[in-house]
């Protein structure tokens, strides 16, 4: 009965969020991959694809966000669009991306972002955080560990529920080159929630 009530409450909360959401766009598919390029964690490549559907007319720019340790912007590229401003906002950075064209309601866009991080993952215990600030249908998070330093264990936590669970072995895959890939995905993540993957390697 308790599980039933929790599920019912979750459905009601999501319906309320959907009805009161007034963002410029929604994300149909969010796919983010962090590749740790060396065993010391000195260099990492964060690649993200977002399939976006615009919910209003005359959108000419969108925001990206970044936070964490190290040099977060050793390199920053996006396609389409041009990053025209990066500014600090508390503990985070906002990146203003000019789309270089005007988007109308119901237009869709595949946005690709590649960011190189230097010195960001040099500790034995590290983390990667994703905040859901737009209505999102599908979300997938992946981390690729180098063949010479695989992940020993990983957990996922949610800020809204304050719960943490260990990611099972079936979330890990051995790639042909010897690298190890951790993947976690969810359908319709909670709006304004924060998902954090922590790992030991």
């Amino acid at each position: 009965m308790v599980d039933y009530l929790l599920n019912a409450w979750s459905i009601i909360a999501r319906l309320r969020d959907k009805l009161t959401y007034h963002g410029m766009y929604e994300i149909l598919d969010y796919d983010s991959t962090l590749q740790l390029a060396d065993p010391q964690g000195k260099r990492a490549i964060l690649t993200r694809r977002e399939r976006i559907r615009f919910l209003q007319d005359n959108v000419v720019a969108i925001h990206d966000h970044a936070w964490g340790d190290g040099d977060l912007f050793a390199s920053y590229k996006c396609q389409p669009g041009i990053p025209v401003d990066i500014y600090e906002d508390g503990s985070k950075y906002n990146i203003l991306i000019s789309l270089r064209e005007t988007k109308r309601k119901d237009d869709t866009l595949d946005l690709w972002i590649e960011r190189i991080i230097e010195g960001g993952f040099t500790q034995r215990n590290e983390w990667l955080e994703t905040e859901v600030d737009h209505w999102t249908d599908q979300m997938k998070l992946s981390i690729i560990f180098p063949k010479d330093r695989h992940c020993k264990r990983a957990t996922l936590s949610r800020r809204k529920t304050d719960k943490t669970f260990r990611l099972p072995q079936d979330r890990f895959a051995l790639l042909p080159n010897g690298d190890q890939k951790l993947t976690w995905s969810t359908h319709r993540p909670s709006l304004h929630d924060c998902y954090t993957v922590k790992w030991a390697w």
Side-chain angles (χ1 to χ4, degrees), residues 128 139 141 154-158 161 163-167 184-186 194-199:
L128 178 66
M139 183 172 78
L141 309 176
T155 63
L156 179 83
S157 60
R158 285 184 57 190
T161 62
K163 291 184 178 179
T164 299
F165 65 90
R166 186 164 179 168
L167 294 171
W184 179 83
S185 61
T186 188
C194 187
Y195 296 79
T196 305
V197 179
K198 295 182 179 180
W199 69 88

Side-chain angles (χ1 to χ4, degrees), residues 14-186:
R14 285 192 54 80
L15 181 60
R16 182 199 62 221
D17 287 345
K18 179 67 171 177
L19 292 174
T20 58
Y21 179 65
H22 299 295
M24 293 187 300
Y25 61 89
E26 63 182 354
I27 300 175
L28 304 177
D29 191 30
Y30 180 101
D31 190 345
S32 177
T33 299
L34 176 72
Q35 181 171 8
L36 300 166
D38 59 83
Q40 293 77 36
K42 294 180 179 179
R43 180 181 174 89
I45 304 167
L46 183 67
T47 305
R48 192 168 73 243
R49 181 187 67 84
E50 298 180 25
R51 183 154 185 80
I52 292 170
R53 180 165 59 205
F54 293 92
L55 301 176
Q56 62 186 55
D57 293 333
N58 302 315
V59 179
V60 297
I62 59 177
H63 277 92
D64 186 20
H65 309 283
W67 62 95
D69 300 323
D71 181 359
L72 300 175
F73 303 103
S75 174
Y76 187 95
K77 300 175 183 177
C78 61
Q79 176 61 40
I82 297 174
V84 294
D85 192 16
I86 298 176
Y87 59 95
E88 197 169 358
D89 182 14
S91 61
K92 300 180 182 180
Y93 289 87
N94 288 331
I95 305 96
L96 179 64
I97 299 173
S98 170
L99 297 175
R100 312 299 288 177
E101 61 181 6
T102 302
K103 294 298 180 181
R104 299 177 60 84
K105 184 178 180 181
D106 292 327
D107 283 351
T108 58
L109 171 72
D110 279 326
L111 176 68
W112 288 87
I113 293 172
E114 181 186 88
R115 183 161 59 88
I116 295 178
I117 305 161
E118 300 283 0
F121 300 94
T122 59
Q123 303 301 313
R124 187 174 68 87
N125 295 289
E126 285 292 356
W127 56 273
L128 178 66
E129 202 168 64
T130 303
E131 192 163 14
V132 182
D133 52 4
H134 293 281
W135 184 264
T136 302
D137 192 39
Q138 300 285 344
M139 183 172 78
K140 183 168 74 172
L141 309 176
S142 301
I143 303 171
I144 299 177
F145 298 89
K147 63 180 180 180
D148 296 325
R149 193 178 181 186
H150 285 181
C151 177
K152 296 178 181 178
R153 60 186 176 277
T155 63
L156 179 83
S157 60
R158 285 184 57 190
R159 183 172 60 197
K160 274 192 174 182
T161 62
D162 197 28
K163 291 184 178 179
T164 299
F165 65 90
R166 186 164 179 168
L167 294 171
Q169 282 300 311
D170 62 6
R171 299 291 182 178
F172 294 86
L174 186 64
L175 302 182
N177 65 352
D179 289 353
Q180 179 195 47
K181 185 174 183 180
L182 168 63
T183 303
W184 179 83
S185 61
T186 188

